[in-house]
Amino acid sequence: VVDENDKLLGKKKRLETYKNAIEETKQGIFSVYFINRELVTDLVANCPWIFPNVVIDEAQSFKTYNSARFKALKKVRPQIQRLIELTGTPTPNGLMDLWAEIYLLDQGQRLGKNITKYRNTFFYPGMAVNGYPVQWYPKPGAEDEIYRRISDIVVSLKNTSLQLPPLTMNNINVYMSKDEKKLYDTMKKDQVITLTDGTDVTAVNAAVLSAKLSQMASGALYTDENHHYKVIHKAKLDQCVYMLRNINSPVIIAYHFQSDKELLMTYLTAHGMDPIIFD
């Protein structure tokens, strides 16, 4: 959450922002609010819960069943109408991590109402310290049974039947003009060039040289530490326009440098397109 000057707010100010959200909902004004996981416990403790739909990014951060953030979200879970979890690593330390994440989705319907029942059903203890198991191992067939039980609420590579079309890689090369390539080769050889406006650009070491050559190949070269740049070529921009005019579906364009982004926005707009930055 930021203020009107785009400065990050402290915890106290952020809580005030969410309290304002509560007042807005009373007036029939509904919005999307973003919160970091560290503020979840404070939000639950200090604000009435008025959010019917919740999306958790990096859901594995709620895998610890005795953590404050899990307990806080568990407390308000009955008031949440729809909860969606996103994660690329749901079980970073093994299947034991799944219980808390799945509990937040179904409140214990599939894997048990508590971690003890989950452990006793699917795991057997290993090494113990002071008589308390510190290692747990899945019982034979446990993994398949766990995945079977949660298959109706989890979309993953293990259980989805979604048939995606085959990936088609189409590598298209674009080329600098002779003068542009000569400038590139000079930088590569001498680690210094002089642009047409008299600006000198120097690469002080191999790492900087590699970055400068990447910039030039992309189309623009940064000339100072403030990221001012000069356009070296427009070959990639021209190719991009050509491709977009021959594609009849939405397109995502990945870029490397901020100069790429600025040039793409300017160039595509000038060619009658309506690019939008997804940041």
Side-chain angles (χ1 to χ4, degrees):
V1 179
V2 298
D3 62 14
E4 62 273 11
N5 296 317
D6 205 35
K7 292 183 179 180
L8 287 174
L9 300 181
K11 183 170 71 173
K12 183 178 179 180
K13 288 289 187 181
R14 280 181 286 173
L15 283 173
E16 291 178 1
T17 299
Y18 295 121
K19 288 180 180 179
N20 291 336
I22 295 170
E23 296 303 315
E24 289 183 349
T25 59
K26 292 179 180 178
Q27 302 171 31
I29 303 173
F30 300 94
S31 301
V32 176
Y33 296 91
F34 294 85
I35 182 175
N36 63 31
R37 58 185 62 86
E38 286 74 23
L39 198 58
V40 169
T41 53
D42 293 306
L43 181 65
V44 172
N46 294 281
C47 301
W49 193 266
I50 48 87
F51 307 103
N53 302 301
V54 175
V55 178
I56 304 176
D57 193 19
E58 301 297 345
Q60 75 277 6
S61 62
F62 285 81
K63 66 182 175 61
T64 306
Y65 64 90
N66 56 0
S67 66
R69 67 180 63 152
F70 171 79
K71 291 179 180 179
L73 207 54
K74 178 184 176 183
K75 180 179 179 181
V76 297
R77 179 59 182 89
Q79 299 168 247
I80 300 174
Q81 297 175 14
R82 187 178 189 190
L83 187 141
I84 299 171
E85 297 180 1
L86 308 173
T87 176
T89 53
T91 56
N93 301 310
L95 289 170
M96 195 66 74
D97 291 341
L98 268 182
W99 180 81
E101 297 170 57
I102 298 301
Y103 181 92
L104 291 178
L105 291 176
D106 69 359
Q107 301 179 76
Q109 294 179 29
R110 291 164 179 80
L111 299 183
K113 294 290 185 180
N114 56 65
I115 187 66
T116 301
K117 183 176 181 180
Y118 178 61
R119 281 178 182 156
N120 292 338
T121 302
F122 297 108
F123 301 84
Y124 65 87
M127 184 179 68
V129 176
N130 297 325
Y132 184 81
V134 294
Q135 290 180 332
W136 295 86
Y137 300 100
K139 294 178 180 179
E143 182 175 9
D144 290 339
E145 176 61 16
I146 290 171
Y147 290 149
R148 185 193 68 78
R149 291 194 183 192
I150 66 176
S151 62
D152 62 320
I153 58 170
V154 174
V155 176
S156 73
L157 292 178
K158 284 185 176 292
N159 76 354
T160 182
S161 59
L162 181 65
Q163 298 298 313
L164 296 176
L167 174 65
T168 301
M169 298 294 294
N170 187 14
N171 296 313
I172 299 175
N173 295 318
V174 296
Y175 301 92
M176 300 178 184
S177 68
K178 289 184 178 180
D179 290 340
E180 294 160 354
K181 183 63 165 57
K182 182 179 180 181
L183 193 65
Y184 177 94
D185 291 338
T186 300
M187 172 60 86
K188 184 176 182 180
K189 178 182 178 182
D190 300 335
Q191 297 187 209
V192 60
I193 57 173
T194 301
L195 302 177
T196 54
D197 63 355
T199 302
D200 290 327
V201 181
T202 302
V204 296
N205 55 46
V208 174
L209 176 62
S210 177
K212 294 297 183 187
L213 293 176
S214 293
Q215 294 164 22
M216 296 179 74
S218 193
L221 178 64
Y222 289 124
T223 57
D224 57 34
E225 295 181 352
N226 296 319
H227 283 187
H228 295 120
Y229 59 87
K230 298 291 184 181
V231 175
I232 301 300
H233 67 81
K234 296 183 178 179
K236 290 179 70 175
L237 295 171
D238 289 332
Q239 181 64 37
C240 186
V241 169
Y242 173 80
M243 292 173 65
L244 291 175
R245 286 178 171 168
N246 288 275
I247 297 174
N248 296 320
S249 62
V251 172
I252 296 177
I253 301 174
Y255 59 87
H256 193 142
F257 302 104
Q258 291 297 313
S259 56
D260 293 337
K261 178 182 71 174
E262 294 176 11
L263 289 172
L264 279 165
M265 294 297 292
T266 301
Y267 208 71
L268 298 183
T269 300
H271 284 76
M273 301 177 188
D274 186 26
I276 297 174
I277 298 171
F278 181 73
D279 190 342

